[in-house]
Amino acid sequence: SKSGPCEQKPIEHPTESASQVENGSCTVTSISTWGEKESPSPLVLGPAEAAWAEEEEEKNQKSPVLPSKEDSVIEEKEREESGLEQQDETCSLEGPSRGDQTNTNKAGAGRGEEAMGECATSPVDLDDMSETSPVGILSKDRVTVLGEVAPVWVPDAEAQVCMKCGIKFTFTKRRHHCRACGKVFCALCSSLKFKLTHLDGKEGRVCISCHSALIKSERNFILGIAVVVFLKSCRNHSCILSSGMSPKGKRRVWFADEILTNKHSESAPTTPVREFTQNVSANLIPLDGLPPILTSTGVKGDYTVEEQPSEMLLIQELESGRPKPLVFVLNANLLAMVKLVNYVNRKCWCVTTKGMHAVGQVELVVLLQCLPEEKSFPKDIFRHFIQLYRDTFTGKVVKHLSLSLFGSSFFGSQDHAGFLYVRSTLQSLQGLPLPNQPYLFGLLVHRAEVAWAKAFPLRLMLRLGAEYRFYPCPLYSVRFRKPLFGDIGHTIMRLLVDFRNYRYSLPVVSGLTVDLEAHRTCIKIPNTGYNELMKAVNKSNEHVLAIGACFNDTADSHLICVQADDGQYQTQAISIHNQPRKVTGSCFIIFSSALKASAGYLAKSSVVEDGLMVQITVETMAELRRSLREMKDHTVTCGRLDQSESQELVCVQWVEEKCTVNKGIISPIDGKSMESISSTKMFQKSEYKENGKIIRWTEVFFLQTGDNPKGAVTDSAEHNRLTERIARAFCLALCPHLKLLKEDGMAKLGLRVTFDSQEAGFVAGSNGQPLPAQYLNALNSVLIPVIHSRGRKRDGEPIVMELIFYILENIT
């Protein structure tokens, strides 16, 4: 294994021969000289108006107060705004009397268990209703639909005081109806707003008690969804919420094997989570405390949701050696797994996501070294995951060497600026509870290192490897560490990167690597990187061609750049521990045509910081550019004209890409490996909603395009239109079935479409099996016309592509 510690080599003084690797040791050159809405104004009374108001208040104390004209106008306006144009007389006739209310409540209580069976998440705890409960005017049957149906309004004449605080209504203390329960309150007790179902999702004024109950209802609804999401991801069985509450306020769920089989799933009972048409919160992380967790009851397949878990008890459970991670519910579609692990002799928090794949984002892992005697969870990670989840809806995702910044203080320090996300390569992964591929590890970045993380992240990644003696970099993060870089200072990167506005940077060609060997340097360019390289060549200065390289995982060592205490940059190298160094990787390559023909050199090569610079003549530069455009290999001989024995070769080679994309990914249709098959993520494309579910197209794999069996990404307008038409037809066909598909554990779907001279057709599946017949029949009627309208390409090239879809809960 190549994982483990690394060796860090100091650098000797500059020599004419830039890079030499002899007898397994590496000698390299160091060049160290480079607005909210405005609130309404309070009512101001003059002397006459004040005296009149006092008289009115004295009258009100002696006799009942009838609604004033102004009150009537205000209430009428409120009715119009909420769509409730009810007359007070009608309210009096339709509203239940106090005696009727009592009887209704008794009847409702008798049907409590039935109500719970029909609705897994009740918006109000029926056992905890005070006198000021927002549902006093509603029967207990109607508690379950608080905010979903228009309430019966209390007539103004029957409300002389606020039904919350008891303050008397006057000319200045006006009445306001709660749009959820229909009671009358003062402005202070009904100052909140909530999006209500009976108002078509629009906000309406609600009282404090109703607001609290609605928030609780919303959270319970999301928890019910999240449980289903978790259980479905664990097994391909139906999940049913229990009809009762377990002790300590936990909500129990269990698998019901054979209940929703393909035979009779059409008529089988659906998961009793009521449809919630109003907008619901996409965040279950409280301001204080931990998110809800899923825990096992000890019975196989039986889980509970605990809404306010004890942090102290959970810490004790983790420290006692809990074998499985804790499962925190961040929102209805996103979970976070947390475990304490011993990684490379360091006690670390391991926090991983589950649910990012469904929104086109790779899963994320954060390994955080524990602080001495740490007794609290790193809760800031949860909030950061939620932010990254939200970012995906705007097409913003993190990739290898991407930087995600925090909005404020993180882990108790302003110095913690963000995470640099990296792929694992040669590091050990032993003992880590990892998500399904693909995933990235987040490395904590110091605020002083942000410029490098943005402009040249590979330099920072390798510098971390040198600091913690881990090749090529550690996968864990250390809080409150010193920065590895300070002020930018005098570096060659100032010539190549705009550190002020980041309008331009060093172009990087995917898959390009640099091998530094004894008397020979090889620059390997993958054939698939031609377009990227041509963009870099066309944008470059005619005298300078600079290209960023990728981490060379075939090398046994790598150049790194270290900034000394005086701000100067030095070159060093790190290598795999106890392994001879034969090939050293480089972070960039620069060709400069500044060499004069009269200098007596064919060309000169030298190591600069963590890269290689090759000085050539103007004529050689022209030859090099021509070779690159024609996709031909090219060799530059470096050294003095009169010393052929000490000459070195710099070879530019085009190679077949050793493709490592989509490692570990398999097709949901038949389990076929998708490794090395090119794909494109889809954002803001086909997305359709029905019955509280969303079906989203997230990715397309190009299994074959023309004669290339691995496929290739194509940007042709014709191909893109075809793919989008197919995705749209697939989504529309399955929209009526989203609920059943999700309940049957088929949340991830695949559609493989083939166009060639022999056949044109499709196959769809989930969990490695074809979709059941009823779903395939629905697809046939809409997909076949689209496929046959396209037929085979005009030039006869076959096309095979696979589209990936996810079914999610609608929480946006």
Side-chain angles (χ1 to χ4, degrees):
S1 171
K2 292 188 177 182
S3 62
C6 68
E7 294 180 329
Q8 185 172 345
K9 300 292 183 180
I11 299 306
E12 299 179 359
H13 295 291
T15 60
E16 288 294 333
S17 179
S19 174
Q20 301 175 3
V21 182
E22 299 177 358
N23 301 324
S25 64
C26 180
T27 304
V28 289
T29 305
S30 171
I31 300 179
S32 58
T33 57
W34 290 99
E36 283 185 14
K37 295 182 180 179
E38 184 178 352
S39 302
S41 302
L43 181 61
V44 180
L45 301 179
E49 291 85 350
W52 177 83
E54 290 177 5
E55 292 178 3
E56 288 297 313
E57 288 188 11
E58 291 178 2
K59 293 178 182 178
N60 292 337
Q61 293 175 1
K62 297 177 181 179
S63 59
V65 178
L66 296 176
S68 67
K69 182 178 180 181
E70 182 176 348
D71 288 337
S72 301
V73 172
I74 292 172
E75 288 300 325
E76 187 66 26
K77 183 179 179 182
E78 290 179 348
R79 288 191 182 95
E80 291 175 358
E81 290 175 353
S82 62
L84 300 174
E85 298 183 1
Q86 303 182 36
Q87 299 296 327
D88 290 345
E89 292 78 9
T90 306
C91 294
S92 301
L93 292 172
E94 294 180 354
S97 66
R98 194 172 298 273
D100 292 340
Q101 177 186 335
T102 305
N103 296 333
T104 306
N105 287 345
K106 289 180 180 179
R111 292 192 295 270
E113 293 183 2
E114 181 182 350
M116 286 300 293
E118 294 175 354
C119 178
T121 56
S122 173
V124 178
D125 189 349
L126 300 183
D127 298 325
D128 184 23
M129 290 170 51
S130 63
E131 292 181 1
T132 58
S133 169
V135 292
I137 197 168
L138 303 175
S139 69
K140 285 196 175 183
D141 285 347
R142 297 190 63 183
V143 171
T144 59
V145 290
L146 179 67
E148 293 189 5
V149 297
V152 177
W153 282 24
V154 174
D156 294 348
E158 295 181 13
Q160 308 305 320
V161 297
C162 172
M163 302 178 78
K164 177 69 175 176
C165 67
I167 192 171
K168 199 165 191 177
F169 293 126
T170 67
F171 175 74
T172 57
K173 297 290 184 182
R174 295 176 292 180
R175 297 171 176 81
H176 298 277
H177 275 93
C178 171
R179 269 47 174 188
C181 67
K183 289 184 178 182
V184 183
F185 302 91
C186 66
L188 195 60
C189 293
S190 60
S191 59
L192 301 173
K193 290 189 176 182
F194 200 88
K195 293 180 178 179
L196 302 174
T197 304
H198 74 85
L199 299 182
D200 296 328
K202 297 179 181 179
E203 287 188 340
R205 178 190 289 268
V206 294
C207 64
I208 295 174
S209 299
C210 279
H211 189 270
S212 176
L214 289 166
I215 289 293
K216 182 178 179 181
S217 171
E218 181 181 83
R219 287 176 58 84
N220 289 345
F221 170 69
I222 298 175
L223 283 174
I225 293 174
V227 171
V228 178
V229 172
F230 171 74
L231 297 177
K232 291 307 183 185
S233 66
C234 297
R235 281 182 172 182
N236 298 327
H237 294 299
S238 171
C239 174
I240 293 188
L241 299 179
S242 74
S243 60
M245 299 292 291
S246 61
K248 300 181 182 179
K250 295 181 179 179
R251 187 161 287 99
R252 176 168 295 178
V253 298
W254 68 85
F255 290 112
D257 293 344
E258 306 300 329
I259 287 185
L260 288 176
T261 59
N262 293 336
K263 273 187 181 179
H264 54 280
S265 60
E266 291 278 10
S267 59
T270 59
T271 303
V273 178
R274 68 187 163 93
E275 295 300 332
F276 210 72
T277 55
Q278 69 182 48
N279 292 344
V280 293
S281 172
N283 186 350
L284 288 174
I285 305 173
L287 295 177
D288 186 24
L290 294 171
I293 63 168
L294 295 178
T295 58
S296 174
T297 62
V299 180
K300 185 178 181 181
D302 190 3
Y303 292 87
T304 61
V305 179
E306 190 171 352
E307 292 192 42
Q308 296 177 335
S310 168
E311 187 168 25
M312 182 180 67
L313 293 178
L314 293 182
I315 293 289
Q316 291 175 355
E317 188 176 350
L318 288 176
E319 289 182 336
S320 66
R322 175 187 170 96
K324 294 184 178 180
L326 294 173
V327 182
F328 287 93
V329 184
L330 305 188
N331 70 32
N333 296 316
L334 182 64
L335 307 175
M337 317 299 209
V338 181
K339 187 179 180 182
L340 282 175
V341 298
N342 185 13
Y343 180 69
V344 292
N345 298 321
R346 290 172 172 83
K347 183 181 178 182
C348 297
W349 294 101
C350 182
V351 187
T352 68
T353 63
K354 187 178 182 66
M356 289 289 192
H357 284 166
V359 289
Q361 168 69 67
V362 299
E363 302 292 350
L364 305 172
V365 184
V366 173
L367 273 173
L368 194 67
Q369 184 170 328
C370 292
L371 300 173
E373 304 300 323
E374 186 170 22
K375 297 297 181 183
S376 62
F377 284 83
K379 293 183 279 288
D380 286 350
I381 296 179
F382 298 151
R383 297 184 179 90
H384 188 61
F385 284 165
I386 283 288
Q387 184 58 52
L388 294 181
Y389 184 90
R390 290 171 175 166
D391 288 345
T392 62
F393 295 102
T394 62
K396 181 182 178 182
V397 296
V398 295
K399 302 177 182 178
H400 176 56
L401 295 181
S402 288
L403 174 67
S404 63
L405 295 175
F406 309 141
S408 58
S409 176
F410 207 78
F411 296 141
S413 174
Q414 293 286 350
D415 289 336
H416 299 144
F419 284 123
L420 176 67
Y421 285 96
V422 301
R423 283 194 299 263
S424 59
T425 50
L426 307 176
Q427 301 95 333
S428 171
L429 301 177
Q430 186 174 3
L432 298 180
L434 298 173
N436 294 330
Q437 288 275 20
Y439 53 81
L440 295 173
F441 285 85
L443 305 180
L444 195 59
V445 174
H446 194 283
R447 196 158 298 280
E449 301 163 351
V450 169
W452 289 112
K454 286 183 177 181
F456 198 24
L458 183 59
R459 171 173 289 188
L460 177 59
M461 185 192 90
L462 293 170
R463 179 65 183 87
L464 284 166
E467 182 70 15
Y468 294 100
R469 306 184 68 80
F470 212 82
Y471 189 85
C473 71
L475 296 180
Y476 60 88
S477 298
V478 178
R479 287 167 281 182
F480 306 105
R481 62 174 175 82
K482 293 182 179 179
L484 303 181
F485 292 100
D487 294 336
I488 300 300
H490 200 53
T491 169
I492 192 174
M493 285 297 160
R494 278 199 175 277
L495 304 176
L496 307 172
V497 175
D498 174 17
F499 283 102
R500 176 171 294 182
N501 300 311
Y502 300 99
R503 290 172 299 182
Y504 59 87
S505 184
L506 183 66
V508 177
V509 176
S510 301
L512 185 149
T513 58
V514 180
D515 292 351
L516 302 179
E517 301 178 71
H519 305 295
R520 187 173 185 269
T521 295
C522 186
I523 303 166
K524 298 178 180 178
I525 310 173
N527 292 334
T528 54
Y530 177 79
N531 291 336
E532 286 182 284
L533 182 65
M534 286 300 100
K535 290 179 182 178
V537 170
N538 295 333
K539 291 182 179 181
S540 65
N541 184 290
E542 60 178 331
H543 302 293
V544 178
L545 177 59
I547 302 170
C550 300
F551 170 69
N552 192 342
D553 57 2
T554 61
D556 43 54
S557 59
H558 221 285
L559 295 180
I560 65 166
C561 184
V562 176
Q563 189 176 24
D565 293 338
D566 61 0
Q568 300 299 312
Y569 292 89
Q570 301 173 355
T571 303
Q572 295 184 7
I574 57 173
S575 62
I576 302 171
H577 186 59
N578 290 335
Q579 186 166 326
R581 287 164 45 195
K582 298 179 181 179
V583 179
T584 301
S586 171
C587 294
F588 62 89
I589 178 77
I590 299 177
F591 290 98
S592 170
S593 61
L595 184 67
K596 302 296 183 182
S598 59
Y601 284 88
L602 294 168
K604 294 175 67 174
S605 66
S606 58
V607 170
V608 179
E609 296 174 1
D610 47 7
L612 181 70
M613 173 178 282
V614 182
Q615 298 181 53
I616 55 180
T617 62
V618 174
E619 293 77 15
T620 304
M621 175 67 83
E623 294 174 3
L624 172 63
R625 288 177 179 267
R626 184 164 55 251
S627 297
L628 293 176
R629 293 184 186 280
E630 296 174 358
M631 209 172 179
K632 294 180 179 178
D633 294 350
H634 188 86
T635 299
V636 177
T637 303
C638 301
R640 299 188 66 89
L641 289 169
D642 55 354
Q643 295 181 359
S644 58
E645 66 281 356
S646 62
Q647 291 177 350
E648 300 178 9
L649 300 179
V650 176
C651 305
V652 178
Q653 295 181 347
W654 291 92
V655 297
E656 288 292 334
E657 183 180 16
K658 187 193 74 173
C659 192
T660 58
V661 298
N662 296 319
K663 184 178 180 180
I665 298 179
I666 61 173
S667 167
I669 299 174
D670 51 14
K672 175 183 176 181
S673 173
M674 307 299 265
E675 186 168 343
S676 77
I677 296 177
S678 59
S679 66
T680 300
K681 296 285 187 181
M682 295 295 154
F683 300 102
Q684 297 175 317
K685 294 288 185 180
S686 296
E687 176 184 287
Y688 296 88
K689 307 174 184 179
E690 189 162 321
N691 294 329
K693 302 291 188 290
I694 296 177
I695 182 169
R696 177 177 287 120
W697 175 31
T698 61
E699 195 168 8
V700 56
F701 291 84
F702 301 94
L703 280 68
Q704 184 172 0
T705 303
D707 296 328
N708 185 356
K710 296 293 184 181
V713 178
T714 174
D715 293 327
S716 71
E718 179 189 5
H719 187 277
N720 291 341
R721 284 195 299 271
L722 171 65
T723 310
E724 290 195 27
R725 283 185 63 198
I726 292 173
R728 181 175 180 273
F730 184 86
C731 292
L732 288 173
L734 292 185
C735 256
H737 310 283
L738 296 184
K739 189 178 180 69
L740 280 177
L741 283 165
K742 192 88 183 317
E743 289 168 0
D744 285 346
M746 291 179 279
K748 181 180 180 182
L749 305 165
L751 172 67
R752 190 179 301 156
V753 184
T754 302
F755 299 97
D756 65 19
S757 57
Q758 303 298 324
E759 62 174 328
F762 75 94
V763 58
S766 180
N767 300 317
Q769 300 290 333
L771 290 182
Q774 66 266 33
Y775 305 124
L776 290 177
N777 291 337
L779 291 173
N780 281 335
S781 59
V782 294
L783 282 180
I784 295 300
V786 176
I787 293 174
H788 283 287
S789 67
R790 172 61 175 80
R792 45 191 293 268
K793 291 189 67 177
R794 295 172 184 173
D795 55 8
E797 291 185 349
I799 298 176
V800 181
M801 56 187 176
E802 184 164 325
L803 287 68
I804 304 298
F805 303 82
Y806 280 89
I807 302 175
L808 302 175
E809 302 298 331
N810 185 6
I811 62 172
T812 57

